[in-house]
Amino acid sequence: MLVNAENLDFKELNQVVREIPGDVVLTGVLGQRFIGAGLENKMITIDGVPGNALGAYLNGATIITGGNAQDAVGDTMNDGEIVVHGNIGDAAGYAMRGGKILVKGNAGYRLGIHMKAYKSKSPVIVIGGRAGSFLGEYQAGGLIIVLGLHDDGKEIVGEFPCTGMHGGRIVIRSDCSNISFPKGVSIHTATKEELDDIKSYIEYYCETFECDVDTIMASTFTIVTPDSKNPYKQLYVGN
């Protein structure tokens, strides 16, 4: 069903979306928050710019937006998929524990903060461009892939990546020679086996945004993981 959101505030819009039994196409979206929050078994296609917390607590629905999205995309997301054909703001995937977020462009600060795996669920975020500072801050599980496909003269990731990271993986399409990582993480060039393990996610990204997977996979990738199950233990004990 087609819904014109131009004159609806976020509460009215979300009530309409919840009450429609099938898939929804939203036009005229301009900053309304919480679109698709907690939904399952529904597809929402957005024309416009959704506000903060797009797909918060998402539980199986699919959300596709043709342009940019603001902060906190996929906040505490449990399942489903969010596809953004532009850039996203800060703190995307906050405490995310399942599902996928695919972004054609860049991500802001604190991408994947507190991201975690939960039982059989393991969340995945793929960013086609670059990520801002504090990438993977306090990450406890899941997979973040940053491809750096849109060269704008800036580093593929910002400052202080992986601060407090204690689980999961971050895969960066770069040799990361100019990036400073904190103590407590392990950094190495991806092996063929590791690239094979992530290739399906990059293939899916390329199918979604129509780019060439072979060109991307021919690059150097860096894998970042915590160097122990409790890398910050020394901060809290006396020995």
Side-chain angles (χ1 to χ4, degrees):
M1 179 178 289
L2 181 66
V3 175
N4 187 343
E6 186 174 344
N7 296 314
L8 300 176
D9 68 20
F10 78 95
K11 290 183 179 179
E12 293 170 323
L13 176 58
N14 284 304
Q15 185 63 32
V16 169
V17 170
R18 283 192 294 269
E19 290 177 351
I20 292 173
D23 297 340
V24 183
V25 176
L26 303 178
T27 64
V29 173
L30 187 59
Q32 289 96 333
R33 296 173 286 163
F34 306 114
I35 294 175
L39 291 183
E40 54 185 273
N41 301 324
K42 180 176 291 192
M43 177 178 287
I44 303 170
T45 304
I46 299 172
D47 178 14
V49 180
N52 290 352
L54 172 69
Y57 309 103
L58 199 69
N59 197 33
T62 297
I63 301 176
I64 301 171
T65 182
N68 299 329
Q70 296 182 11
D71 297 343
V73 171
D75 183 346
T76 323
M77 179 175 172
N78 185 57
D79 201 358
E81 181 173 301
I82 300 174
V83 177
V84 179
H85 285 259
N87 303 317
I88 57 174
D90 299 340
Y94 177 89
M96 179 183 178
R97 62 182 187 180
K100 293 191 291 291
I101 297 175
L102 303 180
V103 179
K104 184 176 184 179
N106 302 322
Y109 291 175
R110 291 188 160 89
L111 174 71
I113 178 173
H114 286 298
M115 182 176 172
K116 63 200 71 177
Y118 177 71
K119 294 185 178 180
S120 63
K121 296 181 182 296
S122 187
V124 177
I125 300 176
V126 184
I127 303 297
R130 55 181 169 78
S133 297
F134 298 100
L135 166 68
E137 186 177 32
Y138 307 121
Q139 184 182 350
L143 172 65
I144 300 173
I145 301 173
V146 184
L147 296 176
L149 298 176
H150 319 300
D151 185 9
D152 59 2
K154 297 182 180 181
E155 291 290 348
I156 189 169
V157 301
E159 296 184 278
F160 314 113
C162 313
T163 302
M165 181 183 187
H166 55 282
R169 287 179 295 163
I170 295 178
V171 181
I172 303 170
R173 183 175 163 263
S174 167
D175 64 10
C176 294
S177 58
N178 294 324
I179 298 170
S180 178
F181 291 94
K183 295 180 180 179
V185 297
S186 174
I187 306 144
H188 66 273
T189 301
T191 65
K192 180 182 182 304
E193 291 74 18
E194 287 171 321
L195 290 178
D196 288 343
D197 184 53
I198 66 166
K199 186 176 181 180
S200 63
Y201 301 114
I202 297 177
E203 287 176 333
Y204 188 55
Y205 175 93
C206 289
E207 290 170 5
T208 302
F209 298 116
E210 299 182 348
C211 50
D212 184 62
V213 65
D214 292 331
T215 300
I216 294 172
M217 294 302 298
S219 307
T220 297
F221 285 78
T222 299
I223 307 285
V224 186
T225 58
D227 65 6
S228 78
K229 291 183 178 180
N230 191 1
Y232 297 92
K233 180 179 179 181
Q234 66 271 18
L235 298 178
Y236 306 105
V237 296
N239 54 6

